[in-house]
């Protein structure tokens, strides 16, 4: 299918891109797991206070991992882009983003930067919601092309 010669219209800023379905699943599973493990700790009659606390601590630890996995997002505003991955946050000016890539088989978007490096942006990932990720990648690409030094690349 041939693409239109007209540039896509960039979204209104600020805009946040995140894998919404994945986030809902991770947080839902985390809440269910925390509730279940805590309920078991409270319902088992032969557990002592220390054992109950260790059950709840384990539930908190496991839920924290799922919350961490639900953290990624990409926030675009007038000044640039903030990429929030699992454990890192990086602020980029529009001029630093040369290209926005989401190729078939990529687990998430990659940003080619002016310093010659590539930054993964886990906030746009096609795993569960492929069409949303493609639309988000196109929107971010349109923003980078209209606001920075980006090229019309795919």
């Amino acid at each position: 299918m041939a693409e239109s010669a007209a540039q896509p219209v960039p979204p209104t800023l600020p805009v946040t891109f995140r894998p919404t379905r994945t986030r809902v699943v991770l947080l839902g599973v985390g809440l269910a797991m925390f509730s279940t493990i805590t309920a078991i700790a409270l319902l088992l009659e032969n557990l002592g206070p220390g054992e109950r606390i260790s059950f709840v601590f384990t539930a908190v630890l496991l839920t924290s991992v799922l919350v961490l996995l639900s953290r990624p997002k990409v926030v675009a505003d007038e000044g640039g882009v903030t990429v929030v991955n699992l454990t890192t946050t990086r602020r980029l000016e529009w001029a630093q983003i040369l290209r926005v890539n989401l190729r078939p088989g990529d687990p998430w978007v990659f940003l080619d930067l002016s310093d010659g490096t590539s930054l993964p942006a886990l906030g746009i990932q096609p795993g569960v919601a492929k069409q949303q990720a493609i639309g988000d990648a196109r929107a971010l690409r349109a923003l980078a092309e209209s606001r920075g030094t980006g090229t019309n690349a795919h």
Side-chain angles (χ1 to χ4, degrees):
M1 174 183 278
E3 287 191 32
S4 163
Q7 291 286 342
V9 177
T12 304
L13 295 177
V15 62
T16 300
F17 304 105
R18 66 174 45 183
T20 307
R21 289 184 196 165
T22 301
R23 183 175 167 84
V24 167
V25 169
L26 289 170
L27 295 176
V29 167
L31 179 62
M33 184 175 50
F34 177 80
S35 301
T36 302
I37 293 172
T38 301
I40 290 170
L42 297 175
L43 294 175
L44 289 176
E45 296 172 4
N46 55 349
L47 291 182
E51 293 167 317
R52 290 181 201 278
I53 290 171
S54 70
F55 264 74
V56 174
F57 177 75
T58 301
V60 167
L61 189 63
L62 293 172
T63 302
S64 297
V65 170
L66 294 178
V67 168
L68 183 68
L69 291 173
S70 72
R71 185 174 181 253
K73 65 182 175 180
V74 177
V75 180
D77 59 33
E78 292 295 334
V81 175
T82 303
V83 177
V84 179
N85 287 332
L86 295 178
T87 59
T88 60
T89 299
R90 183 159 175 200
R91 178 73 181 167
L92 301 166
E93 294 179 16
W94 286 112
Q96 291 177 274
I97 302 170
L98 300 179
R99 188 171 167 164
V100 176
N101 294 307
L102 180 59
R103 295 173 293 261
D106 280 352
W108 39 72
V109 161
F110 289 90
L111 305 177
D112 291 343
L113 305 179
S114 58
D115 65 2
T117 63
S118 181
L119 176 68
L122 279 65
I124 302 175
Q125 48 183 267
V128 175
K130 185 176 181 178
Q131 292 308 313
Q132 177 189 345
I134 291 170
D136 289 352
R138 286 181 179 154
L140 184 58
R141 179 181 299 137
L143 285 167
E145 289 171 359
S146 68
R147 298 187 173 276
T149 59
T151 60
N152 189 8
H154 299 282

